[in-house]
Amino acid sequence: MYNGGKIIAGLAVFLAFFLFPFYYNLGKANARPELKTDTPAIREWAQKYGKKECVESKDFMRAEHMQLLNDWRDSVVRDGNRIYTNAEGRHHLMSLQNTCLNCHSNKKEFCDKCHNYMAVKPYCFNCHVEPKENKS
Amino acid sequence: MNRRQFLKIAGASTVLGLGGASAVNGFRLGVPAAARMSLDPRALTAKRWGFVVDVSRLRTEEDYQKCIDACHNIHNVPTFKNDLQHEVKWIWKENFEATFPGTEHEYMNAEFKEKKFLVFCNHCKEPACVRVCPTKATFKREDGIVMQDMHRCIGCRFCMAACPFGARSFNYLDPRGKNPDGSPLIRVQSQTYPTRTIGVVEKCIACYERLAIGQQPACVEASNGAILFGDLEDPNSEVRKVIGEKYTVRRKPELGTQPSIYYVIGGSEHA
C-alpha cells in the first residue's frame, strides 16, 4: 500500500478521537447514583417500626413522588388538611420541608443526586427551606 | 351534533356526576386509592373567623413590636431597612388617618391623633382581591379566611390594586437577599415555614397553618389579650361578646367588603 503506515496511523488517531465520547463515558452513563437512606430520622423510624420505610412503597415513591407532593400541597394549602394516612394505615404530617426532608435530611445525597442524574431541577427550594446540614 | 343535543348530554352527564369539576376532583392521580388526607384532630374550626383589636391595650412601642415580630419571624417575612418602596409586611402600624380615613377632624382627642393602630389583612367577607385574582391563587376558605396559595401566584398584582387596605405586598426583590448594609432581609429564619421568591404577592393568612394544628394566630398569642380571635358566627364566642358589649368600628365599612377585624376604640376600663 502506498504510504500505508501513515494511513494506518492517521486512521488510528481518527478513531481515537472519534470514539473518545464512547470510551470516556464507558461505565459512567450506567452508574446509577447510589442513594443513601441512612439519616437520624430514618434510623429512629426503623427502630420504632422495625423497618425502614417511606411514606409509600419505594417503587411508588420513585415513580410518583412529584404527583404525591402536588396532591399534598393542594390538600394542605387549599383544604387545610395536615394528616396523610398511607395505603398501610400509617400517619404522616403532609409537609415537604418538615416530613420528606426530615427523613431525607441528606437532601444533597438523596433528592439532588437523583435529580442531577435525571436532569430535573425542581424550583420548590426557592421558597421551601432546605435542611440545615446541606448549607455549604 | 347540534347545540341542543350537546347541552342535553352535558346536562345529563353533570346530573350523573360525570361533569368537568367532578372529573377533576373525583379521582386523584398522585396518591394511592387507599390513602387518605384529613384534618389534624386538633384543628380549630369556625364558620367565620374574625379578630377584635382592643386599641387601648396596645400602648408602648414594645406592645406593637411583639405582635409584629411574632408574625414576621415565624413566616420568614423580610425586613427592609429604610426602604419603604420594597417593603413586605403582613401586620404593621398605621396612624389614625390612614386606618379610619374620613373620620379625623380638627378638634380630635390629641391621644388619638398620635396613636398607632395595628392593621393586617381584614379577611373580608366580600373580598375584592379574590374577585380579581385570575388564577384563584387567592381564595376564600369555608371558614372565612382569605388564603393566598403561593404556588399559584403569578405576580400580576391585581389583588394589590383591588385591596382597599394595602394588606398585600409584592416581592420586588429576592427575600433571601441582603440589606445594603449586608444584614439578611430575613432576620430570624424559621426552618419550618417556607420563604417566598421574587415576583409573588404575600399577606397575612390568619396563621391557617397554626389553626390547622390547634394553635391561635401568632399575633393573638403575643398580644397579651389585646387581639382576640374567634368565630363571628358563634354568639357565645369571646369576640362576639366583646363586639356585643363595646363600641367597635371596622376599617372603611362604606366600601362594602365586610372586614372581619373589629377595633374597640377607647375602651378605657382595661387601661
Side-chain angles (χ1 to χ4, degrees):
Chain A
M1 203 187 328
Y2 184 70
N3 259 351
K6 278 184 191 159
I7 290 169
I8 288 168
L11 268 179
V13 170
F14 170 74
L15 280 179
F17 273 110
F18 185 73
L19 295 176
F20 175 76
F22 296 97
Y23 61 75
Y24 179 76
N25 277 325
L26 205 67
K28 278 190 193 155
N30 293 325
R32 301 181 58 220
E34 207 183 306
L35 302 173
K36 295 208 179 70
T37 51
D38 185 32
T39 65
I42 290 179
R43 260 178 266 137
E44 208 175 284
W45 181 280
Q47 243 170 24
K48 206 162 147 198
Y49 296 103
K51 61 175 179 189
K52 278 185 167 189
E53 48 186 11
C54 196
V55 294
E56 290 292 350
S57 75
K58 185 170 165 176
D59 290 340
F60 180 88
M61 289 310 288
R62 190 177 291 173
E64 304 288 349
H65 66 277
M66 3 25 217
Q67 272 300 327
L68 177 113
L69 280 170
N70 242 351
D71 281 4
W72 276 21
R73 98 177 147 187
D74 285 350
S75 187
V76 170
V77 176
R78 304 194 77 87
D79 302 333
N81 291 332
R82 288 275 153 171
I83 306 289
Y84 181 69
T85 310
N86 71 15
E88 285 179 33
R90 281 232 215 289
H91 301 297
H92 288 277
L93 188 74
M94 289 193 277
S95 173
L96 170 59
Q97 195 170 318
N98 304 319
T99 303
C100 308
L101 295 182
N102 179 43
C103 274
H104 299 294
S105 55
N106 56 343
K107 176 171 171 288
K108 281 217 164 93
E109 291 295 309
F110 187 78
C111 319
D112 294 0
K113 219 168 184 182
C114 187
H115 290 160
N116 288 342
Y117 175 72
M118 305 294 252
V120 195
K121 225 174 159 0
Y123 63 91
C124 319
F125 301 99
N126 293 342
C127 292
H128 288 270
V129 180
E130 297 182 40
K132 266 249 158 75
E133 64 191 273
N134 270 331
K135 301 261 165 70
S136 46
Chain B
M1 192 193 312
N2 65 26
R3 193 182 122 86
R4 192 176 155 77
Q5 285 167 324
F6 171 79
L7 288 176
K8 268 188 185 161
I9 293 171
S13 56
T14 303
V15 169
L16 291 171
L18 305 170
S22 65
V24 173
N25 300 330
F27 57 86
R28 314 197 77 102
L29 290 166
V31 303
R36 270 184 298 114
M37 296 186 261
S38 50
L39 287 184
D40 188 310
R42 293 168 298 174
L44 304 181
T45 54
K47 285 214 181 77
R48 181 184 167 202
W49 288 117
F51 295 84
V52 172
V53 180
D54 188 337
V55 166
S56 65
R57 295 186 68 162
L58 292 163
R59 267 164 282 143
T60 65
E61 191 62 24
E62 205 196 331
D63 291 345
Y64 296 93
Q65 205 57 42
K66 267 201 301 212
C67 301
I68 296 171
D69 285 347
C71 169
H72 287 188
N73 288 348
I74 67 166
H75 296 118
N76 288 325
V77 178
T79 306
F80 290 85
K81 286 188 187 157
N82 307 320
D83 183 2
L84 282 176
Q85 223 185 335
H86 298 130
E87 187 183 35
V88 175
K89 50 196 178 4
W90 286 23
I91 175 168
W92 71 102
K93 293 180 291 189
E94 284 291 8
N95 61 20
F96 185 86
E97 204 178 327
T99 312
F100 303 108
T103 56
E104 69 278 8
H105 53 82
E106 60 186 311
Y107 306 123
M108 211 167 87
N109 173 321
E111 188 199 326
F112 271 89
K113 247 184 211 157
E114 300 301 317
K115 191 152 179 75
K116 297 285 183 201
F117 297 82
L118 261 190
V119 296
F120 45 101
C121 172
N122 275 299
H123 297 280
C124 302
K125 195 172 177 186
E126 301 292 340
C129 54
V130 169
R131 297 177 63 141
V132 299
C133 180
T135 61
K136 292 199 176 159
T138 193
F139 59 98
K140 197 170 133 225
R141 307 196 331 163
E142 299 266 294
D143 61 5
I145 291 176
V146 177
M147 181 58 193
Q148 164 92 355
D149 183 343
M150 301 313 311
H151 307 98
R152 289 205 192 184
C153 180
I154 56 170
C156 71
R157 286 170 273 167
F158 287 3
C159 56
M160 293 178 69
C163 176
F165 305 104
R168 295 170 162 272
S169 307
F170 185 66
N171 284 279
Y172 288 99
L173 300 175
D174 176 8
R176 292 187 180 181
K178 291 189 163 67
N179 277 304
D181 68 3
S183 61
L185 294 172
I186 296 174
R187 286 174 302 176
V188 186
Q189 178 158 99
S190 159
Q191 291 297 311
T192 51
Y193 200 85
T195 66
R196 270 68 60 200
T197 50
I198 190 167
V200 295
V201 173
E202 60 184 82
K203 70 167 195 83
C204 158
I205 48 176
C207 286
Y208 91 108
E209 84 286 6
R210 289 169 60 90
L211 302 180
I213 55 169
Q215 296 171 344
Q216 293 270 312
C219 60
V220 173
E221 204 176 86
S223 72
N224 200 13
I227 310 176
L228 302 176
F229 181 70
D231 190 348
L232 293 173
E233 303 251 307
D234 172 6
N236 298 316
S237 68
E238 208 185 341
V239 286
R240 274 291 293 279
K241 274 191 201 138
V242 176
I243 295 168
E245 281 168 13
K246 297 195 180 142
Y247 181 66
T248 55
V249 290
R250 292 184 292 172
R251 297 182 66 197
K252 306 189 187 177
E254 69 280 9
L255 297 177
T257 66
Q258 300 288 356
S260 302
I261 306 178
Y262 291 77
Y263 289 88
V264 179
I265 304 284
S268 52
E269 58 267 62
H270 288 300

